[in-house]
Amino acid sequence: MTEEKVGTNDTKLRNSMLQKAKAGTVKFVDSQTVVSRPGEKATAESITEYIYPTEYEPPFLKVENGKEKSTTINTSTSPTPTAFDKRNLGSTLEVEPGLGDDGKTVDLYFSPEMVFLIGETVWGTSADSKVTMKMPTIYTYRVQTAVTVSKGKFHMVSALTPKDDNNKADPSKKLLVFIKADVLSVGR
């Protein structure tokens, strides 16, 4: 029996992580599956669209007969959102596979991404305190790479270090990213 080269098959490592997840010593975070034909992009998403204002029209004083009505807080208008943006929160997997010349390997471009809303930063409040201008604080795990993998076997392609509550790298935690590409044959 020949031994496999290190890195050509991480199925044992992944199975070990799954056993630890079942035992509660590690956390299984996410799994995505998508099917594509060689040379064609495919995307799998499990998301929530988060829409938020990015620009505001400033408040102004109400004017009556060409004169300012008053300079008290109650006479100003609130900031008005004028432009919006959208961010997908959740997980997305984009792949573009190709079958290797040997028929046993898969050339794979892929980009998994996990996006979380972790808070909001307040940039200001209207004078009457009715409108708060906020911008989201987004946290993203992302890998973008191209690899050649053995079909039907798991390969660890990345280890990411998450941030802690103080936005500093937490070396006690790792997010391992595995990929497995299968080749499906379709009969005639």
Side-chain angles (χ1 to χ4, degrees):
M1 181 169 127
T2 62
E3 286 189 38
E4 294 205 39
K5 293 179 184 174
V6 175
T8 61
N9 184 356
D10 294 318
T11 301
K12 287 181 184 176
L13 176 60
R14 184 173 185 279
N15 288 342
S16 169
M17 292 296 115
L18 285 176
Q19 291 302 321
K20 289 180 180 190
K22 287 178 184 175
T25 57
V26 301
K27 184 178 176 184
F28 186 81
V29 178
D30 192 39
S31 179
Q32 293 276 355
T33 302
V34 65
V35 177
S36 177
R37 295 187 299 201
E40 293 185 8
K41 285 185 183 178
T43 303
E45 293 180 319
S46 179
I47 60 167
T48 299
E49 290 183 352
Y50 180 75
I51 299 170
Y52 57 95
T54 57
E55 296 179 23
Y56 292 85
E57 185 170 300
F60 58 91
L61 294 176
K62 293 181 181 179
V63 175
E64 217 173 75
N65 296 330
K67 296 181 182 178
E68 290 181 4
K69 185 176 180 183
S70 172
T71 57
T72 63
I73 292 174
N74 295 330
T75 62
S76 65
T77 62
S78 296
T80 305
T82 58
F84 295 85
D85 201 355
K86 176 189 75 140
R87 189 70 194 263
N88 292 336
L89 303 178
S91 54
T92 301
L93 172 64
E94 183 178 293
V95 300
E96 185 175 346
L99 187 59
D101 292 336
D102 61 3
K104 297 179 183 178
T105 57
V106 177
D107 297 319
L108 185 65
Y109 160 81
F110 73 104
S111 180
E113 178 179 75
M114 294 180 68
V115 181
F116 305 93
L117 174 67
I118 60 171
E120 293 178 317
T121 302
V122 175
W123 289 93
T125 304
S126 64
D128 59 7
S129 299
K130 291 182 180 177
V131 176
T132 302
M133 294 171 284
K134 299 183 264 185
M135 292 297 290
T137 303
I138 304 288
Y139 188 80
T140 303
Y141 297 116
R142 179 182 303 123
V143 176
Q144 188 172 356
T145 190
V147 294
T148 299
V149 296
S150 302
K151 69 179 183 177
K153 297 176 182 173
F154 282 97
H155 301 273
M156 189 180 85
V157 293
S158 182
L160 303 167
T161 303
K163 306 279 187 194
D164 63 15
D165 293 337
N166 297 317
N167 203 26
K168 300 214 186 302
D170 184 352
S172 70
K173 297 179 182 176
K174 293 293 179 205
L175 180 65
L176 304 181
V177 179
F178 291 88
I179 190 80
K180 180 175 105 171
D182 285 317
V183 177
L184 306 174
S185 299
V186 179
R188 292 182 184 226

